[in-house]
Amino acid sequence: MAGNIVAYLLLALAIRQLKLDLSFPEILAIRSAGGLAIGFVLGCRDQALFGEVWHSRLLLNVGRSALHAAGSLAVVWSVANLPLGLVASIDFSGPLFAAAIGIIIFGVWPARYTWIGLALIFVGAAMIILQYENVIGLAIIIPFVGVAVLTSTNILLAILSRKQSTRSILFLMNVTQLVIFLALSIVGAEQLHLPSPSLANAAALPHGATTLALAIVAMAASGYMTQASLSQATRHGTVVQVSALDTLRIPALAVAGSLILGEPLNPGLVVPALVIMGGAVLTAILDRSKRV
């Protein structure tokens, strides 16, 4: 998951830069186009990729990709408009949603002591909601919605990864999402009815054509890297563990936001973030539930 941390940081910086010129669907269309270009290069080197894509579970792949597109919009809005440390802390509520989905849909209950870690994550998430609901209102729910949706797509990813390669999964995802985001870009971002920017507007580099080009490249590459690392991780652990193991993202993004974007570290966020991190670590260590 170390690669996912680096890729997510690169993704966050690219989003901040691109939002100076582009709408959220346009930003995500760049990510999909970049991932699709990488997929075509891999396919030209190994023609078996296109054969696997053709014989894959198309309906499940397209459904997962469409659901992932909705979650991605929520995440991009969050990274663009909220402090990175806050977004990273909320990201680690993922194990809660993974556990809930596992119970409701698959009947898989977390191991006995895993509930200790999940309870800590719940307490930390509740502290964040109570603190920021007074600042930005119900918009604080958007990053949680993004986490919930993407967690469900991670479960589908784990299912697909059992019989399908990472390359073919990402190829179909990028094809599907490129169509979705191009359509949304044509319709107009205002049709999404997302709240206006709230707490964060800083970009890492000055506005200009060169920095725009760099951000486009970073967005295209990091988008593929995050999904590839997640796909590989789901082959070696439970969904709850995968959702929890990426705990270093919280301090990494908080420090990056402070040093690179000049975002002040909110002292009130330290305790909830530590509680969530502690819960995520315990969840990863204690979870012994069956893999879906």
Side-chain angles (χ1 to χ4, degrees):
M1 297 299 289
N4 194 40
I5 298 174
V6 175
Y8 194 89
L9 175 58
L10 190 62
L11 188 74
L13 295 176
I15 289 171
R16 285 292 184 86
Q17 203 69 41
L18 290 172
K19 79 167 190 173
L20 299 176
D21 296 282
L22 305 174
S23 67
F24 298 136
E26 289 170 338
I27 291 173
L28 286 165
I30 288 173
R31 185 188 71 174
S32 299
L36 187 57
I38 293 173
F40 269 116
V41 171
L42 294 175
C44 290
R45 295 182 62 182
D46 182 5
Q47 295 289 325
L49 172 60
F50 297 130
E52 184 182 358
V53 168
W54 182 256
H55 294 97
S56 63
R57 303 164 71 179
L58 290 177
L59 186 60
L60 183 58
N61 272 280
V62 171
R64 176 195 174 270
S65 300
L67 190 62
H68 188 275
S72 296
L73 281 169
V75 169
V76 168
W77 180 92
S78 303
V79 171
N81 295 318
L82 300 176
L84 296 187
L86 172 61
V87 176
S89 299
I90 293 174
D91 275 351
F92 284 93
S93 60
L96 284 177
F97 298 108
I101 293 170
I103 293 170
I104 295 171
I105 298 180
F106 300 103
V108 177
W109 290 76
R112 182 187 307 173
Y113 298 108
T114 307
W115 291 104
I116 299 173
L118 293 174
L120 287 175
I121 296 174
F122 178 83
V123 170
M127 292 170 68
I128 288 176
I129 291 176
L130 291 175
Q131 180 180 158
Y132 280 90
E133 195 277 331
N134 293 326
V135 179
I136 62 175
L138 292 178
I140 190 60
I141 300 299
I142 292 179
F144 283 101
V145 170
V147 172
V149 172
L150 293 185
T151 298
S152 67
T153 66
N154 288 343
I155 293 175
L156 294 174
L157 180 62
I159 295 172
L160 288 170
S161 295
R162 293 177 64 181
K163 295 184 178 181
Q164 191 175 342
S165 71
T166 298
R167 299 182 308 166
S168 63
I169 294 171
L170 296 184
F171 188 93
L172 285 166
M173 185 191 79
N174 286 311
V175 169
T176 303
Q177 292 189 352
L178 182 58
V179 173
I180 292 173
F181 293 132
L182 285 177
L184 289 175
S185 299
I186 294 172
V187 171
E190 66 278 359
Q191 301 299 322
L192 298 174
H193 302 295
L194 292 172
S196 58
S198 304
L199 300 179
N201 290 295
L205 299 171
H207 185 212
T210 302
T211 53
L212 175 62
L214 289 173
I216 288 174
V217 173
M219 187 71 189
S222 60
Y224 191 91
M225 288 168 59
T226 54
Q227 284 298 295
S229 61
L230 280 175
S231 178
Q232 290 301 108
T234 57
R235 301 177 190 273
H236 302 287
T238 68
V239 175
V240 175
Q241 286 175 326
V242 171
S243 298
L245 278 174
D246 202 13
T247 52
L248 289 177
R249 192 192 303 170
I250 295 179
L253 282 188
V255 171
S258 177
L259 297 180
I260 300 176
L261 300 176
E263 296 177 352
L265 294 174
N266 182 358
L269 187 61
V270 173
V271 173
L274 289 176
V275 170
I276 291 176
M277 283 185 66
V281 170
L282 283 175
T283 300
I285 293 174
L286 298 174
D287 183 47
R288 293 294 183 271
S289 59
K290 294 184 298 182
R291 292 173 61 187
V292 175

